[in-house]
Amino acid sequence: MCASPLSATVLRQKYAFSKIAIANEKTAPYGVAAVEVMEKYGIYNKITHKIVRGDNIAQTYQFVFTENAQLGFVALSQVIHETEGSRWVVPQEDYRPIRQQAVLLNKGAGEPAALAFVAFLKGKTARDIIASYGYGFDD
């Protein structure tokens, strides 16, 4: 997870920003993680009035990208290749891990294309691409 453009220091400066974007913590794992980070730093209750919630992490990123929020907690994969702006990669120990998974539904279990796609996702090429966007593996 990445907070863009902020750091723990900026988060603690309550007058440094007027809006901070997070994904809705009731429906989005990234929102849950954002709240955990802010609670860990002891600021969540102090800045709740500045929080704007995206329905999902994509909308949250849009709030930050369009500068409708000065700060925001977004997925690292959304900004990892950006050269403009600033960001703070939130230390993993500050929130519970967000697990990304692929699932093959029963309906697709006998479909060659579905099986090939799952095999591709487990292969080196896909794993290298996934890793290039900041995701790790639990193997």
Side-chain angles (χ1 to χ4, degrees):
M1 183 170 66
C2 181
S4 178
L6 62 113
S7 68
T9 302
V10 173
L11 279 174
R12 290 187 178 110
Q13 296 172 351
K14 61 183 177 179
Y15 300 110
F17 59 94
S18 61
K19 299 285 182 224
I20 183 168
I22 69 170
N24 186 335
E25 67 273 22
K26 293 179 183 172
T27 58
Y30 283 95
V32 172
V35 170
E36 289 173 359
V37 170
M38 291 185 286
E39 286 176 339
K40 177 174 179 154
Y41 288 101
I43 58 149
Y44 180 70
N45 290 330
K46 297 174 185 171
I47 64 168
T48 54
H49 63 286
K50 294 184 178 197
I51 295 174
V52 292
R53 288 173 173 80
D55 291 333
N56 51 52
I57 198 62
Q59 186 178 39
T60 304
Y61 172 76
Q62 184 179 27
F63 290 158
V64 178
F65 180 77
T66 60
E67 298 180 7
N68 286 299
Q70 293 84 17
L71 309 175
F73 284 91
V74 300
L76 177 59
S77 62
Q78 293 170 307
V79 297
I80 197 165
H81 298 293
E82 292 289 328
T83 57
E84 304 277 324
S86 62
R87 68 175 171 245
W88 168 54
V89 178
V90 179
Q92 178 60 65
E93 61 271 8
D94 289 354
Y95 61 96
R96 284 177 285 162
I98 299 170
R99 304 280 183 228
Q100 305 288 341
Q101 300 179 355
V103 176
L104 180 60
L105 301 176
N106 287 336
K107 186 175 182 178
E111 296 293 327
L115 294 170
F117 183 64
V118 171
F120 169 76
L121 289 176
K122 293 179 179 180
K124 181 176 175 9
T125 300
R127 290 174 69 90
D128 288 348
I129 293 168
I130 292 166
S132 79
Y133 282 91
Y135 294 100
F137 298 93
D138 288 339
D139 309 317

